[in-house]
Each structure stands twice: as structure tokens, then as C-alpha cells.
Amino acid sequence: SIVKEPTFPEKELGVVAENNIQQFIVNSSKVDFLAHRALMKAVYGGQHPCGRLVQKEDYKRITPDVLRKFYDRYYHSRNCTIYVSGKVGDDCVRRIEDLFGREAFGKGFQKPEKTDFVPVSSVDKRIFVEYADVMQSAVRMLSLERCHPDYLKARVMVTLFGGYFGSRLMSNIREEKGYTYGISAGIAPYPGQGILVINTETANEFVEPLVREVYHEIDRLQNDPVPEDELFMVKNYMLGEMCRSYESAFSLADAWMFVQVSGFGDTHFEDVLNTIKNITPEEIRELAGRYLCKEKLKEVISGKKMS
């Protein structure tokens, strides 16, 4: 019934919208939320779907009629894929076919066309969001590059750089310098782009030295081969995370949905495994030079501006 015969009652929708508005108000007082919004607008521009920022009044524009039109456009049997994971038997398959496969459901039956949008990035190197009454500033630094040709190898490089507790950024900026409680780096999978994001919060007076240390760690990765023992530790960490990520029926279904949506082939998980096992220190040094581009790295800071 939820899939084929949904209802969009106005009263319940109003409660959901009001809850979202209150959450939006709360988030708007947080420097990390403000920094993320500024980052997305700076990278994509206001005309790109990823750069158009939701406002409080937008939640009021979501009506039952809007949801109904959206449902009629996208929810139909020709735009439907079913994943079944777990102890799947004949009876399970038969029930699914009875409910979803015996006759068409929905309206229109047109699959949505893919639309490509071109990001229009800000020319500014640093974007600052003033928030005077806070003790900490949120820092977002990113590089806008397409990493698909080297995506799997780049994941290893980014993990070593800032993707786990023992990473270069954590060891230097948290453990040694004490500028922050935590700092991370990762590849955010936005449509058409692989975006490297460095994310942290720090006391206002530590913003500049923290940024300098990030660039210092980039220089190290670009110029010095990673020691074999450090790379061995990163590989073991990533292989362990891979095992933990695919140990349940839910996570296995999610994994194969990710493969289909991303356009990867059926050998994707084998490719991931082989990439982690076989990547070399020299390959990581080359990847850092290619994708950790300091000239294109944008700095987005939300907090109190220090004189």
C-alpha cells in the first residue's frame, strides 16, 4: 500500500514539515551547518541543484499536491528495482512477484531522463561566514576534481590522509598539536563529481595554524613516499572496514544498490579488494600530486573572525 497506494494526509504532513523547520532553526545556529551550506554554494553555484540552499519557508511549500505530483512522476513499475537480501526462498520470491510483478502500477511509465548540470564555482579561495558569538569555528576545505579514473586508489590515499583515527591529519593536528578534537577527510559522492572534503572544528584562534598544518600534510604526501609500515596499517584498516560493512542482509542490499546507482560493474568489490592490497607508496604520492591540488583547494570557515 505504501508503494502503490500512498496517501499524503495534510495534518500529518504539517507535523513533519514543522519538525523539519524546527530542526532547520536549530542547525542554523551551528557553525558546521553554516560552513557546509557555504561550501556547497561556493563549489556548485546557486543554479546547480547541489548549490541551491534550502530556506525555512521552503518547507511550507511542500503540500500534499506537490507530493502527489512527484509520486505520479517517479513511482511506477517501469522505474522500480527490487533488491532482496538474506535467506531468500521460493516463497519469498513468489510473494514479491505477486505484489509487484503481475501487473503494471503507477502512471506515465516514463523513466526520468538524466540531466547534467555544470558547476559554477566561486573564484574566491576563502569563504568566511561570520558568526560572532561562538567559541569554535568550523573549517571545510575541498578540492573539486573528477576522480573516477582513480577513484578506488584515491580512496586509499584519502583514508591515509584523513579517513581514520590514525590518519596523518589526526596524528598531527589532534594528537600532536591539539588544535581540534577530531578532523577528517573523505570523498563525498555528489553526482558527476568526486569531491574531497576536509572537515573539522577548532577554537577561533587555531583556525590559521590548523589550515597551515593541513597544507603541510599535503606537501608530505606529495613529496615523500609513505612508509611501508604505515601503508600496511591503512590497508588492514580498510580491509577490516570492508568486512564489517558487508556482514548483514541490509548492508549487502545497500552495497549492490550503490554499485548500480554508481555505474560500477559486478566485479566492483573484487576490484576494491585488489586495489587496497596492491597499491604502492609511489602510486599514493602520484595521486596526492594529482588530486590534493592546493591551488584549487577552497577554504570555507564559519565562526568568529579574529582580528
Side-chain angles (χ1 to χ4, degrees):
S1 295
I2 291 174
V3 175
K4 291 185 177 182
E5 305 157 354
T7 60
F8 304 102
E10 189 169 2
K11 182 179 178 181
E12 285 82 350
L13 178 58
V15 172
V16 172
E18 188 59 37
N19 288 341
N20 277 269
I21 290 172
Q22 294 305 315
Q23 187 62 57
F24 179 85
I25 294 172
V26 171
N27 288 338
S28 296
S29 66
K30 299 178 180 178
V31 289
D32 59 337
F33 180 77
L34 297 174
H36 178 75
R37 284 167 64 84
L39 177 151
M40 298 304 290
K41 188 172 183 179
V43 171
Y44 286 103
Q47 301 305 310
H48 193 285
C50 293
R52 289 200 293 265
L53 305 179
V54 66
Q55 304 298 329
K56 184 174 70 171
E57 55 270 19
D58 292 333
Y59 292 102
K60 293 294 186 180
R61 298 191 177 102
I62 302 176
T63 65
D65 185 56
V66 168
L67 294 183
R68 170 60 61 183
K69 288 179 180 177
F70 184 86
Y71 170 84
D72 289 342
R73 174 70 180 85
Y74 294 104
Y75 283 69
H76 54 80
S77 51
R78 291 185 187 175
N79 196 34
C80 175
T81 303
I82 296 175
Y83 291 81
V84 188
S85 179
K87 190 175 181 181
V88 182
D90 293 340
D91 183 62
C92 176
V93 174
R94 179 185 60 78
R95 288 171 180 267
I96 292 171
E97 290 178 344
D98 286 343
L99 288 168
F100 294 102
R102 295 203 175 277
E103 55 187 48
F105 62 87
K107 298 179 180 179
F109 301 111
Q110 292 184 353
K111 296 194 71 171
E113 296 179 0
K114 182 180 178 180
T115 304
D116 292 322
F117 295 89
V118 179
V120 181
S121 299
S122 168
V123 297
D124 297 326
K125 171 70 172 175
R126 173 170 288 193
I127 296 93
F128 194 91
V129 182
E130 180 75 18
Y131 202 145
D133 299 326
V134 292
M135 299 296 291
Q136 286 194 324
S137 293
V139 182
R140 300 286 189 279
M141 302 172 67
L142 60 94
S143 176
L144 183 64
E145 290 286 343
R146 292 184 180 272
C147 351
H148 265 296
D150 295 319
Y151 175 72
L152 298 181
K153 291 181 180 179
R155 285 181 63 243
V156 182
M157 182 267 292
V158 172
T159 300
L160 187 148
F161 179 52
Y164 76 116
F165 193 79
S167 69
R168 294 277 182 95
L169 293 179
M170 285 287 283
S171 297
N172 178 354
I173 295 173
R174 179 189 189 272
E175 298 296 330
E176 183 180 332
K177 301 296 191 305
Y179 290 154
T180 181
Y181 183 75
I183 183 169
S184 63
I187 300 176
Y190 289 102
Q193 312 283 222
I195 303 178
L196 172 68
V197 182
I198 302 163
N199 175 35
T200 190
E201 291 184 35
T202 188
N204 298 318
E205 62 267 25
F206 293 147
V207 169
E208 299 302 334
L210 184 149
V211 171
R212 285 196 297 270
E213 290 303 320
V214 170
Y215 284 122
H216 170 68
E217 291 301 334
I218 290 175
D219 287 336
R220 286 183 62 209
L221 272 179
Q222 292 176 339
N223 297 313
D224 304 326
V226 178
E228 288 286 355
D229 58 341
E230 183 182 8
L231 183 55
F232 179 75
M233 182 170 61
V234 172
K235 289 181 177 183
N236 282 343
Y237 166 79
M238 294 187 72
L239 292 173
E241 283 295 292
M242 189 175 177
C243 291
R244 284 189 290 273
S245 297
Y246 308 133
E247 64 183 7
S248 72
F250 290 111
S251 59
L252 284 173
D254 288 340
W256 284 109
M257 283 187 276
F258 167 76
V259 167
Q260 185 183 49
V261 171
S262 302
F264 296 130
D266 290 344
T267 63
H268 172 70
F269 301 110
E270 184 179 357
D271 296 339
V272 172
L273 190 68
N274 291 332
T275 298
I276 295 172
K277 286 182 175 180
N278 299 325
I279 194 169
T280 66
E282 182 58 28
E283 285 179 308
I284 287 182
R285 191 184 68 80
E286 292 175 358
L287 288 165
R290 195 175 307 150
Y291 295 112
L292 295 178
C293 183
K294 293 189 293 184
E295 291 73 25
K296 293 183 179 180
L297 204 66
K298 293 192 180 296
E299 304 163 3
V300 181
I301 300 166
S302 173
K304 182 178 181 180
K305 186 172 289 187
M306 303 298 291
S307 57

